[in-house]
Amino acid sequence: MKLIFAIVHGDDAPGLLDALVRRGYRATRINTAGGFLKESNATILLGVEDDLVDDVLALIQDNCQTRTQFVNPLPPVMEPGEFYMPYPVEVQIGGATVFVLDVEQVIPL
Ligand code: 2BA
């Protein structure tokens, strides 16, 4: 069995969860935030049999879009009289960042 962690955009999470549940998967959503942009995103956890991992990855790919976003870099330390105009930097936020881990045991108590 595998545990899939999929970090996805918050806007993509409801559609992805619907698609997963329609196909019979059990999933848990955790509201998370990215360390770099500090914006909320969603982490979807799923425990699945090994032979279903590819199917889940395909569903994630179908339901999560890549987006570009502009962020303002932090201004450097300024001396009095200096002028600094920060230019926004473009970052690409992936459709999803997915981790697949081996599961040793599942214990429903
Ligand atoms: P954030 O950390 O907010 O990152 C958002 C996007 O900003 C990233 O998109 C990437 O394009 C860019 N970025 C992140 N760190 C950067 C840095 N140090 N320098 C320049 N650009 C940087 P994604 O790579 O698609 O990641 C989307 C979200 O997935 C991340 O949000 C984070 O919540 C999660 N994530 C990505 N890689 C991860 C990892 N190795 N471990 C844990 N979480 C991860």
Side-chain angles (χ1 to χ4, degrees), residues 23-95:
R23 282 268 254 274
Y25 292 108
R26 296 184 185 189
T28 298
R29 171 185 174 156
I30 304 173
N31 292 328
T32 44
F36 186 66
L37 297 181
K38 315 268 188 296
E39 286 188 359
S40 38
N41 52 27
T43 300
I44 313 285
L45 265 79
L46 300 108
V48 297
E49 295 303 332
D50 292 17
D51 58 341
L52 294 173
V53 169
D54 287 344
D55 186 51
V56 170
L57 294 180
L59 280 175
I60 294 171
Q61 201 158 26
D62 288 350
N63 285 277
C64 299
Q65 308 164 22
T66 300
R67 295 170 169 83
T68 50
Q69 188 163 328
F70 288 89
V71 287
N72 280 312
L74 290 175
V77 177
M78 298 289 294
E79 296 297 330
E82 283 182 344
F83 176 74
Y84 170 70
M85 178 70 82
Y87 286 99
V89 175
E90 187 178 304
V91 292
Q92 193 167 69
I93 307 169

